[in-house]
Amino acid sequence: KAGVTQTPRYLIKTRGQQVTLSCSPISGHRSVSWYQQTPGQGLQFLFEYFSETQRNKGNFPGRFSGRQFSNSRSEMNVSTLELGDSALYLCASSPGVAGHGYTFGSGTRLTVV
Amino acid sequence: DQQVKQNSPSLSVQEGRISILNCDYTNSMFDYFLWYKKYPAEGPTFLISISSIKDKNEDGRFTVFLNKSAKHLSLHIVPSQPGDSAVYFCAASARSNYQLIWGAGTKLIIKP
């Protein structure tokens, strides 16, 4: 089974710009969750998509949005980037039902300058 | 409200000795617990899990213990190796829910 693929691996953007990150989950997995990790911080939950619907959402501003396509691939968008958005963004794939863990991608390192 | 707590931000252990990482939870509905390991600039990788019907699960050098009455789980690594230096996250979920709830992580440093 191919793993979770996140693209791009690295990204440098300027304040005020917007960015789109992509995640391809494991084949057959219907759930994709997004997390933000900043230095010294744990995993901050952004949102989770299941069968093209946002099923859960963390406490992030509306500048952070996402979507999921019919093939379960997901994109995350951040608009009006701020310096504080610099982080490692992680995508996790799972079957989406209780009793299963997540498989993470390698992440996208976003740097906002 | 932190439902899963890892109260030690970091832990330093001598190579070859036992590393014990702790995790406490507050939600009595949690019945599935996992440990993940994370290296810098990489995604977390699954290490070991335990369901609430067990109190111990072992996989090689890694053992997870679950004390349901105390709402406490721990991860034991024996013997500790330099490659074990990483951040360890515990996570929990309830049978009625799909979502994993994460602890803040503990940074384990293995000293030579």
Side-chain angles (χ1 to χ4, degrees):
Chain A
K1 258 185 177 175
V4 180
T5 304
Q6 287 190 249
T7 57
R9 281 300 312 271
Y10 303 94
L11 206 47
I12 299 176
K13 288 286 188 179
T14 305
R15 263 184 307 176
Q17 286 187 311
Q18 76 161 19
V19 67
T20 300
L21 312 181
S22 178
C23 173
S24 292
I26 289 172
S27 178
H29 281 190
R30 296 164 67 189
S31 167
V32 173
S33 300
W34 287 91
Y35 291 84
Q36 180 197 66
Q37 187 183 32
T38 49
Q41 296 294 314
L43 299 170
Q44 305 296 316
F45 173 69
L46 280 151
F47 30 66
E48 186 231 0
Y49 284 86
F50 180 81
S51 294
E52 301 179 67
T53 301
Q54 188 181 87
R55 190 162 66 166
N56 214 342
K57 189 177 188 307
N59 296 322
F60 276 79
R63 300 186 296 109
F64 292 81
S65 63
R67 59 178 174 168
Q68 187 180 33
F69 302 95
S70 58
N71 62 357
S72 292
R73 189 178 72 85
S74 177
E75 287 182 348
M76 189 191 91
N77 184 77
V78 188
S79 62
T80 321
L81 283 166
E82 301 176 359
L83 295 179
D85 296 333
S86 295
L88 179 67
Y89 289 89
L90 293 161
C91 156
S93 159
S94 84
V97 295
H100 289 266
Y102 297 169
T103 302
F104 283 85
S106 298
T108 294
R109 169 69 65 184
L110 172 66
T111 302
V112 182
V113 297
Chain B
D1 173 32
Q2 264 191 300
Q3 297 185 65
V4 178
K5 299 177 187 177
Q6 292 178 258
N7 291 320
S8 300
S10 66
L11 176 67
S12 187
V13 174
Q14 202 75 36
E15 181 180 355
R17 307 292 279 268
I18 182 171
S19 294
I20 301 176
L21 296 104
N22 295 304
C23 180
D24 296 297
Y25 61 96
T26 56
N27 189 340
S28 58
M29 298 300 290
F30 286 152
D31 57 7
Y32 185 57
F33 305 88
L34 309 92
W35 284 94
Y36 281 76
K37 174 180 177 179
K38 186 183 183 301
Y39 293 118
E42 292 183 13
T45 54
F46 170 75
L47 205 52
I48 192 169
S49 65
I50 188 168
S51 101
S52 59
I53 61 173
K54 294 184 169 184
D55 53 19
K56 177 183 173 181
N57 189 25
E58 197 170 349
D59 183 1
R61 296 186 298 115
F62 302 91
T63 303
V64 56
F65 294 92
L66 175 62
N67 182 333
K68 288 186 288 292
S69 60
K71 294 192 179 68
H72 176 83
L73 68 155
S74 60
L75 174 68
H76 292 210
I77 306 173
V78 185
S80 300
Q81 298 174 354
D84 296 331
S85 294
V87 176
Y88 290 78
F89 292 96
C90 74
S93 72
R95 187 167 302 279
S96 58
N97 197 333
Y98 50 85
Q99 191 180 5
L100 284 184
I101 307 299
W102 296 84
T106 295
K107 183 175 183 178
L108 176 64
I109 301 162
I110 305 301
K111 301 178 294 186

